[in-house]
Amino acid sequence: MTRYQDDIDAIQALKDRNGSPWHAIDPEAAARMRAQNRFRTGLEIAQYTADIMRRDMAEYDADSSVYTQSLGVWHGFIGQQKLISIKKHLKTTDKRYLYLSGWMVAALRSEFGPLPDQSMHEKTAVPALIEELYTFLRQADARELDLLFTQLDAARAAGDETGAEFIQSQIDDYETHVVPIIADIDAGFGNPEATYLLAKKMIAAGACAIQIENQVSDEKQCGHQDGKVTVPHEDFLAKINAVRYAFLELGIDNGIIVARTDSLGAGLTQKLAVTQHPGDLGDQYNSFLDVEEIAEGDLAGGDVVIKRDGRLLRPKRLASNLYRFRAGTGEERVVLDCITSLRNGADLLWIETEKPHVEQIAGMVDAIRAEIPDAKLVYNNSPSFNWTLNFRQQAYDALAELGEDMSGYDRDRLMSVEYDDTELARQADEKIRTFQRDGSARAGIFHHLITLPTYHTAALSTDDLAKGYFGDEGMLAYVKGVQRREIRGGIATVKHQNMAGSDLGDNHKEYFAGDAALKAGGQHNTMNQFS
């Protein structure tokens, strides 16, 4: 017996018990609707996807070649189409997730309009997008299963028992489009209580993994911009605890917390850490401050000083009332941040870097793993990096170190198209192609994501269409550049009425009203041109 058949039998028994008032109910139709709505709540999704992520983390620990990936999405339809494409081309969603980017929420989903990535958007926009994404993924399940049910009915009507049995096996073994979402909660949108309240909303919407960063909430900056300000460890750990309590309250005992450190690019702190004795966590945080030694008689009104080893040290304070860290301490602070986060409730790490360089990342991870051997990263393969220039410069430096003649290259101009067909460019592109594999093997990267890819692809594809359509190509720009490619590529959106649920709705109408149903999918439906 299968779950599908079990549901048919259970609904048939229920129909029998209720007698004639239920005469119009078709048990198989009801079982189909159940199959198309596997997840009834966001918490069911959060638990299902948390289990997937925990399994994937354990598999990565055993074999670093089985890393995971995601692309950032900013709308439910974009996330849905991504998963449909993955299933079409790769036949499984295994090890493929979604990433919810706070940057794209700020830039594209705020009621204020486009905003910089500074936590100024409505915090409720984040759980709303999680719910929207899972609504579209569940609709992808319903639509795909509806197509299978239609094929099953056709095979039965034709007396094709073998075909019907094959289609039934596809229904029984159906793989859902619902996958884990790693969701960005920024710096928590306020104090730990605010973080807890927002985390609950995100988890209830379906999030199994929440990423939180160690910047201050009221001065939060994009990870690849200047002016980043971190908080003392105790402040950050309180927010990690707040997220864990939210998971536990809602019964997701294995929810995942991704602790992000921005310390590599953050040169400022808003306040000094509290310290009780030399060498404690607060003292270690303060030890990275840029200070000057002063005598007691040099103290001025309003001065803040630290006493260490019998000396008075005055942290250098800016006009903004922020304190500066010593230059060159970023990597040490990252390592301390990561070890501290993992020892205090985080499950995965995120190190925000200024460039994609495997050995730079690996150097920090090696130091972290000396203390916590199974430390794992989520890494941002960011569009903020100039990947072409970075990897061509890395290839240039590697060749120069081998003693190769580099006189034919200008290291500062390697982005130029004139280098596209050179051996250096080919080596750089190969390193880009294998970056995720290499990073997972060498630098402990469990999950690779691109934060903003669909922001860029939407702009690029729109630019291509606008250029041709409003130019000399006219309608050919759409037909050749979009529709013909959809048809030949088997892209489901070519039947946009079907994608929006028209056929699904027709079947429901027939369930509800039988032969009296007024359906949209008749012989005059223009979507039949794409059959």
Side-chain angles (χ1 to χ4, degrees):
M1 296 289 283
T2 65
R3 179 174 178 176
Y4 180 63
Q5 187 61 51
D6 288 344
D7 279 342
I8 294 174
D9 294 344
I11 297 166
Q12 180 64 59
L14 189 62
K15 177 180 177 179
D16 292 343
R17 286 199 301 272
N18 282 279
S20 59
W22 281 41
H23 71 279
I25 299 300
D26 178 352
E28 184 163 13
R32 290 179 176 187
M33 295 176 79
R34 281 190 179 179
Q36 291 170 307
N37 189 30
R38 173 179 173 179
F39 302 99
R40 291 167 176 78
T41 69
L43 287 178
E44 286 186 23
I45 292 172
Q47 187 61 72
Y48 170 76
T49 53
D51 292 342
I52 290 174
M53 277 197 72
R54 290 291 179 179
R55 180 204 69 200
D56 289 347
M57 290 161 67
E59 290 181 5
Y60 174 80
D61 285 340
D63 179 0
S64 64
S65 70
V66 289
Y67 56 87
T68 57
Q69 299 168 291
S70 67
L71 294 174
V73 292
W74 50 273
H75 191 279
F77 176 73
I78 303 298
Q80 178 198 68
Q81 293 304 302
K82 189 191 101 168
L83 266 298
I84 288 174
S85 293
I86 287 170
K87 285 193 70 176
K88 181 181 74 172
H89 293 294
L90 303 170
K91 310 307 179 188
T92 178
T93 63
D94 187 41
K95 305 293 188 295
R96 284 107 188 182
Y97 304 168
L98 289 176
Y99 178 66
L100 188 156
S101 160
W103 192 101
M104 284 203 284
V105 172
L108 300 170
R109 301 303 301 261
S110 172
E111 292 185 9
F112 294 110
L115 294 171
D117 182 22
Q118 296 174 350
S119 293
M120 294 187 290
H121 56 276
E122 310 87 341
K123 65 177 71 175
T124 52
V126 181
L129 179 53
I130 296 168
E131 183 176 5
E132 175 182 294
L133 283 163
Y134 281 128
T135 297
F136 273 81
L137 296 184
R138 290 162 67 196
Q139 192 263 1
D141 283 356
R143 171 193 165 273
E144 194 167 82
L145 281 164
D146 186 67
L147 294 173
L148 289 172
F149 295 144
T150 299
Q151 293 170 29
L152 180 62
D153 290 341
R156 287 172 174 171
D160 183 1
E161 293 183 10
T162 301
E165 185 176 337
F166 175 68
I167 296 165
Q168 184 64 61
S169 70
Q170 291 181 280
I171 295 168
D172 294 339
D173 299 330
Y174 184 76
E175 182 183 41
T176 178
H177 292 83
V178 169
V179 297
I181 290 176
I182 298 176
D184 186 1
I185 200 172
D186 283 12
F189 286 87
N191 63 18
E193 176 70 7
T195 302
Y196 152 76
L197 292 171
L198 178 55
K200 280 210 306 179
K201 287 284 189 182
M202 293 167 68
I203 297 161
C208 72
I210 293 178
Q211 165 221 329
I212 187 165
E213 62 200 60
N214 69 336
Q215 292 192 52
V216 294
S217 293
D218 58 342
E219 293 285 355
K220 193 265 183 201
Q221 296 280 13
C222 172
H224 291 105
Q225 292 186 313
D226 206 355
K228 293 192 290 185
V229 183
T230 63
V231 297
H233 296 97
E234 294 298 338
D235 292 27
F236 187 52
L237 297 182
K239 292 187 177 182
I240 288 178
N241 288 337
V243 175
R244 180 64 67 203
Y245 275 110
F247 273 124
L248 293 173
E249 179 180 335
L250 296 177
I252 312 301
D253 299 346
N254 59 347
I256 293 96
I257 298 174
V258 182
R260 169 175 149 178
T261 173
D262 281 276
S263 289
L264 193 61
L268 302 169
T269 183
Q270 193 178 51
K271 59 184 179 181
L272 308 184
V274 174
T275 178
Q276 303 296 335
H277 54 80
D280 65 12
L281 196 55
D283 190 43
Q284 291 179 71
Y285 186 82
N286 293 340
S287 71
F288 295 113
L289 293 167
D290 189 7
V291 299
E292 55 187 349
E293 185 173 358
I294 63 170
E296 188 173 345
D298 296 330
L299 281 172
D303 271 351
V304 174
V305 295
I306 298 171
K307 188 174 184 180
R308 180 179 295 128
D309 299 327
R311 299 180 301 153
L312 290 180
L313 305 174
R314 180 167 56 197
K316 296 178 181 178
R317 186 159 53 178
L318 306 180
S320 60
N321 205 31
L322 299 171
Y323 298 95
R324 190 164 52 206
F325 290 113
R326 298 194 316 278
T329 62
E331 290 197 3
E332 291 178 76
R333 287 184 279 128
V334 164
V335 171
L336 180 60
D337 293 345
C338 291
I339 292 171
T340 301
S341 293
L342 289 176
R343 284 177 172 168
N344 290 274
D347 302 291
L348 294 168
L349 302 171
W350 173 314
I351 299 174
E352 195 76 328
T353 66
E354 83 287 1
K355 61 181 180 294
H357 194 293
V358 170
E359 285 305 316
Q360 179 201 29
I361 304 162
M364 291 181 281
V365 172
D366 286 346
I368 296 162
R369 284 186 161 179
E371 298 291 329
I372 303 175
D374 65 347
K376 292 179 283 296
L377 295 188
V378 171
Y379 186 71
N380 178 8
N381 293 231
S382 177
S384 293
F385 304 144
N386 185 330
W387 286 77
T388 301
L389 180 60
N390 266 289
F391 276 85
R392 287 183 180 181
Q393 288 180 337
Q394 289 178 40
Y396 178 101
D397 294 341
L399 291 169
E401 191 173 337
L402 292 172
E404 298 285 337
D405 179 12
M406 306 305 292
S407 59
Y409 301 99
D410 181 344
R411 190 180 186 279
D412 294 329
R413 296 183 56 255
L414 290 176
M415 183 68 196
S416 173
V417 68
E418 69 185 87
Y419 297 119
D420 283 0
D421 293 326
T422 63
E423 178 59 26
L424 180 146
R426 284 188 284 274
Q427 289 189 24
D429 281 355
E430 178 61 13
K431 282 294 185 184
I432 294 171
R433 187 184 73 82
T434 64
F435 174 79
Q436 296 190 341
R437 182 189 71 194
D438 297 341
S440 291
R442 172 70 184 94
I445 301 175
F446 158 73
H447 186 78
H448 286 276
L449 61 90
I450 308 177
T451 43
L452 322 175
T454 51
Y455 177 89
H456 294 277
T457 55
L460 182 61
S461 61
T462 302
D463 181 76
D464 287 342
L465 178 59
K467 178 183 177 182
Y469 178 74
F470 293 104
D472 293 338
E473 290 185 84
M475 192 58 195
L476 181 61
Y478 174 77
V479 173
K480 184 178 179 181
V482 181
Q483 190 181 78
R484 194 176 296 166
R485 292 182 62 195
E486 283 183 306
I487 295 170
R488 293 174 177 174
I491 296 174
T493 52
V494 73
K495 295 185 179 182
H496 50 258
Q497 305 286 16
N498 171 268
M499 181 57 62
S502 179
D503 293 338
L504 187 63
D506 272 359
N507 286 333
H508 286 174
K509 290 175 187 176
E510 194 167 5
Y511 297 164
F512 306 154
D515 293 339
L518 178 63
K519 299 195 291 185
Q523 62 178 342
H524 299 299
N525 188 326
T526 59
M527 287 291 103
N528 294 334
Q529 296 173 31
F530 302 102
S531 298

